[in-house]
Amino acid sequence: MIYEKIFKSKGKKLAVLIDPGKQSLNDLRIRAELARKSGADFFLVGGSMISENIDDTVSVVKESSGLPVILFPGSMYQLSAKADAVLLLSLISGRNPDFLIGNQVIAAPFLKKSGLEVISAGYMLIDGGSRTSVEYISNTVPIPADKPDIASATALAGEMLGLSLIYLEAGSGARYPVRENIVKSVRESISIPLIAGGGIKDVSVVESLCESGADIIVTGTAFEKDAGLIKAFSDTVHSFQASKSKSKFS
Ligand code: 1GP
């Protein structure tokens, strides 16, 4: 099971986000292999727009990297039975019923038939200093970056509702990544795995997010711009020992 293997196992992990349709399948093949060689642990596949080649994207990434591929759907039109698992995201920081439960209802019968492993995730949008696609498309207001108490209460409610993990999202290409005080306060309030992503451009941020208690770091744009960064990110993520970590998963 992917959830046990990736999210509940010891050790912090690095995930590379692939936005389908942003590159040719040939480029993707090269990049996916490079990401694996550089130490990425798994891939997320998803974006804000519908892509015509989601099945091909998933297959190419899986075949060329040999790593698990988890869907990270921006909407329920982005599903592929070829993936290993799907994050069933509920946008719990927002108050838009479509993203809290509507899309999930539409997708549930397909997901059951597909045999995909479904991992329920509390998706929380945190203000990253600029308006991002996810904020605009979801029509929700992010949690202010200086309100760790709201963030931790939201994450706690997600855990109490039975969600399997919490995903703190500053938004792709965000000016600022999720702040350390938000990560720390959420980490202290929950006991399920914690993912952080959005706007992560350098190693020092990866380090401080890990130190603050994130179990999984996600990078998309930085990898698109400079695939070489993945090695530095992955070395940093994997250098965290159990004793240094605030999480029981790492
Ligand atoms: C995953 O949306 C992010 O949480 C990816 O963000 O593209 O800024 O790395 P970047």
Side-chain angles (χ1 to χ4, degrees), residues 17 22 44 72 123 134 167-174 195-201 218-224:
L17 174 65
K22 268 204 173 172
L44 292 176
F72 176 57
Y123 193 46
V134 57
Y167 193 132
L168 297 177
E169 172 72 274
S172 187
I195 304 182
I200 301 173
K201 302 179 192 87
V218 180
T219 176
T221 307
F223 175 65
E224 281 164 22

Side-chain angles (χ1 to χ4, degrees), residues 4-76:
E4 299 296 328
K5 211 169 105 188
I6 291 185
F7 297 102
K8 294 289 283 256
S9 62
K10 289 271 176 202
K12 296 186 189 286
K13 316 256 176 347
L14 178 70
V16 170
L17 174 65
I18 303 284
D19 194 342
K22 268 204 173 172
Q23 59 268 294
S24 71
L25 292 177
N26 216 23
D27 281 354
L28 196 56
R29 199 165 282 125
I30 297 165
R31 295 167 80 81
E33 204 186 331
L34 181 67
R36 195 228 349 123
K37 282 191 185 145
S38 306
D41 294 288
F42 67 99
F43 289 91
L44 292 176
V45 171
S48 297
M49 300 295 170
I50 299 178
S51 163
E52 63 199 23
N53 64 357
I54 181 109
D55 279 342
D56 293 343
T57 300
V58 170
S59 302
V60 164
V61 173
K62 269 180 86 163
E63 280 157 24
S64 40
S65 71
L67 294 176
V69 174
I70 303 177
L71 299 174
F72 176 57
S75 79
M76 290 305 154

Side-chain angles (χ1 to χ4, degrees), residues 124-135:
M124 292 174 48
L125 191 54
I126 310 291
D127 189 16
S130 51
R131 284 207 86 188
T132 56
S133 303
V134 57
E135 178 184 344

Side-chain angles (χ1 to χ4, degrees), residues 92 122 152-166 190 192:
I92 58 174
S152 59
T154 305
L156 183 58
E159 178 171 12
M160 287 171 168
L161 283 165
L163 298 172
S164 305
L165 57 84
I166 295 294
I190 59 167
I192 49 178

